[in-house]
Amino acid sequence: RLVSVLVRQMCQAYPELSRAQALIEETRRMEETRFKQTLDRGLGLLDAELGALDAGAALPGAAAFKLYDTYGFPLDLTQDALRERGYSVDVAGFDAAMAAQKAKARAAWAGSGDTADDTVFLDLAERFGPTEFLGYETETAEGQILALVSDGVDQPRAGVGATVEIVLNQTPFYAESGGQVGDTGTLRTESGAAEIRDCRKKAGLFVHMAEVVSGEIAVDAAAQLTVDHARRSAVRANHSATHLVHEALRRALGPHVAQRGSLNAPDRLRFDYAHTKALSPAEIAAVEAAVNAMIRQNSPVETRVMTPAEAEAQGARALFGEKYGDEVRVVSMGRTAEGGVGASGDVYSLELCGGTHVARTGDIGLFAMVSETSSSAGVRRVEAVTGAEAVRLLRSRDATLLAVEAALKTQGDEVPDRIRTLLEERRALQGEVADLKKALALAGGPAEVAARDIGGVPFLSQVLSGVSAKDLRGLIDAHKARLGAGAVLLIADTGGKAAIAAGATPDLPGRMSAVDLARAAAEPLGGKGGGGRPDMAQAGGNDPARAEEAVAAAERHRAAGGGGAHGQRPGLRDGKPVAPKRPYLHRAVPCHGGVA
């Protein structure tokens, strides 16, 4: 609700606030909603950890650190939350966990040698100046080898098998930037040849990552340079398609759509954009249709060099936060009868871009969306393919559909209805199976399960198979309803693991805690702890074969008077469950890099 106030106050200095107000408001709303969910999960973890503590004990530092590291709970927030409940935090343990995390992060960082590389390439840039890029006009050229760098050291020559970084005075190889991957190809001199595996920018130089495959190459030698044409063509098609995708998304979703990152590789494209919701099937279809319409149009892709001010006057779109020099390349593609942007007339897409592009939109061939997912908060991601890769994708989808039709013995348009019918039948059968399992468990098999009096409390125990852990809670409630008064312990073999559930009827919390009962059963099964409420608790173990021992351990615990009032856990007052206080919800808490 405060975004509109901020926009009014700051829009003159930051005009992008006005353009993106709707996006900012929606992002803030979703961020607050997500943090409330995160807060609830963190509070649930805190309650579970307290359930394993004795009254007045200190919360382990590792648990407090998990709340901080995973849920964004600062230490002082956790301390405030616990103080009114009569607990403290093991601050030394928290500090130790924090130090361990930092040490782990430092150990995981192996370093890349970039510092040494930067030094040698900065020196080379001062000696030779920036590399001249010829790749907009040609894919083959001659150049002179200015330097060969191996392991951060400038070398005079390199022989067969050597991996080397090559600097030339000019090159047709595009160096990775702006989301477009670097070119590959070959370099040949009179004395040897090298395979160019990648090309990157360092200190203003185009650095060719290469392996010498024959003879040797040396500094000052003239070299014939050839870019891999098929790969460059595929990359170009994906890069040009990315521009069309950007404009199609903007027109389909609104002017707030802005690029937040991209990848243009030979086999696919990836485009990240500012938006808060997943695309609907109809929106995906609209974007695909718009891009393919521009491809079929086969209009020329034009590139002009102008000043940033001239580009802005033309209506060219720039990436927010990017810095541009005195001259920029403006790429336009597609024509639309409905009118384009700015002074560009009917241009469909007009963007600042330093990458390589197709000559005509028809060179892209075909566009097909692969997926649309979330990249980060407020950012969505489209992945797609073009040309031959798009044809392969569509053929694969056709083959999958044909296989589904054959399996279902139906035709294309009837497949969705047939699948819905099968899913409904499956859900009905699952419900019947669950009801039968529950009835069998309640009956106890051949004989009705009966409760025994242990320590003055009716006690019912069962070892089950074919019952999932999530079904135990319902079975506990059913047994408690049958007993009227008493305690229940159920142990299920869930396929190599043991699931434990314990319950106590409402008249027992002062005399018995289901949490203690679950813990007593968990120990013989190789489990630890147990969480829940005095009337319902769950635990687990790794050795379901010892289920009968676990039942016996729980019975001994109860017979010895365990689980009575002295076993009371946080959440009880005078033997009755009480809701935990949460007076700290109004506190300012960090979330996702901000403060909510």
Side-chain angles (χ1 to χ4, degrees), residues 460-464 472 475-476 479 488-492 499-502:
L460 185 152
S461 62
Q462 263 187 303
V463 177
L464 307 169
L472 292 182
L475 291 173
I476 288 286
H479 278 305
V488 182
L489 175 68
L490 302 180
I491 301 176
I500 305 165

Side-chain angles (χ1 to χ4, degrees), residues 333-359:
M333 61 183 75
R335 295 289 182 267
T336 172
E338 66 190 44
V341 289
S344 59
D346 62 347
V347 172
Y348 183 76
S349 169
L350 191 68
E351 292 191 23
L352 305 186
C353 182
T356 60
H357 289 279
V358 296

Side-chain angles (χ1 to χ4, degrees), residues 198-476:
D198 196 4
C199 187
R200 302 176 188 173
K201 286 183 181 178
K202 295 186 179 184
L205 301 172
F206 282 48
V207 180
H208 305 71
M209 315 297 178
E211 180 182 352
V212 181
V213 294
S214 67
E216 72 168 18
I217 58 176
V219 171
D220 295 330
Q224 181 66 37
L225 309 167
T226 305
V227 173
D228 183 333
H229 172 73
R231 184 176 182 277
R232 163 76 81 85
S233 297
V235 172
R236 268 194 308 229
N238 283 329
H239 197 160
S240 297
T242 298
H243 284 224
L244 296 177
V245 169
H246 187 182
E247 184 61 24
L249 286 167
R250 192 189 70 83
R251 291 174 182 244
L253 305 178
H256 64 274
V257 169
Q259 182 174 337
R260 290 293 180 263
S262 66
L263 170 68
N264 300 295
D267 59 336
R268 70 193 190 283
L269 68 88
R270 186 180 71 220
F271 182 75
D272 293 350
Y273 60 101
H275 192 55
T276 56
K277 298 177 182 178
L279 294 184
S280 68
E283 289 169 335
I284 291 175
V287 170
E288 278 193 334
V291 174
N292 282 303
M294 290 299 112
I295 292 173
R296 290 192 303 273
Q297 192 180 83
N298 197 28
S299 59
V301 175
E302 299 174 351
T303 303
R304 289 174 291 168
V305 178
M306 58 184 73
T307 66
E310 291 171 335
E312 184 178 355
Q314 290 289 318
R317 301 189 186 285
L319 297 186
F320 177 67
E322 286 288 331
K323 297 185 183 300
Y324 297 96
D326 295 335
E327 290 187 336
V328 293
R329 291 173 60 84
V330 180
V331 179
S332 63
M333 61 183 75
R335 295 289 182 267
T336 172
E338 66 190 44
V341 289
S344 59
D346 62 347
V347 172
Y348 183 76
S349 169
L350 191 68
E351 292 191 23
L352 305 186
C353 182
T356 60
H357 289 279
V358 296
R360 305 185 72 88
T361 57
D363 296 341
I364 298 171
L366 178 66
F367 172 83
M369 196 97 78
V370 175
S371 64
E372 195 277 343
T373 57
S374 172
S375 172
S376 60
V379 178
R380 304 295 301 179
R381 169 171 292 175
V382 162
E383 296 197 55
V385 288
T386 62
E389 290 295 333
V391 172
R392 277 192 284 272
L393 173 68
L394 297 180
R395 284 179 175 171
S396 174
R397 289 176 177 174
D398 282 345
T400 300
L401 179 58
L402 289 172
V404 171
E405 288 177 344
L408 297 178
K409 295 181 174 59
T410 189
Q411 297 300 313
D413 292 343
E414 300 171 356
V415 167
D417 288 338
R418 179 61 177 149
I419 290 176
R420 277 191 289 270
T421 299
L422 290 174
L423 289 175
E424 290 171 1
E425 292 175 355
R426 182 174 180 268
R427 281 192 290 269
L429 290 172
Q430 285 177 326
E432 292 178 12
V433 170
D435 290 341
L436 289 172
K437 285 181 178 180
K438 183 176 178 180
L440 183 61
L442 289 172
E448 182 79 7
V449 177
R452 290 169 291 166
D453 187 292
I454 299 179
V457 172
F459 183 83
L460 185 152
S461 62
Q462 263 187 303
V463 177
L464 307 169
S465 60
V467 177
S468 66
K470 66 179 182 180
D471 292 330
L472 292 182
R473 182 179 291 269
L475 291 173
I476 288 286

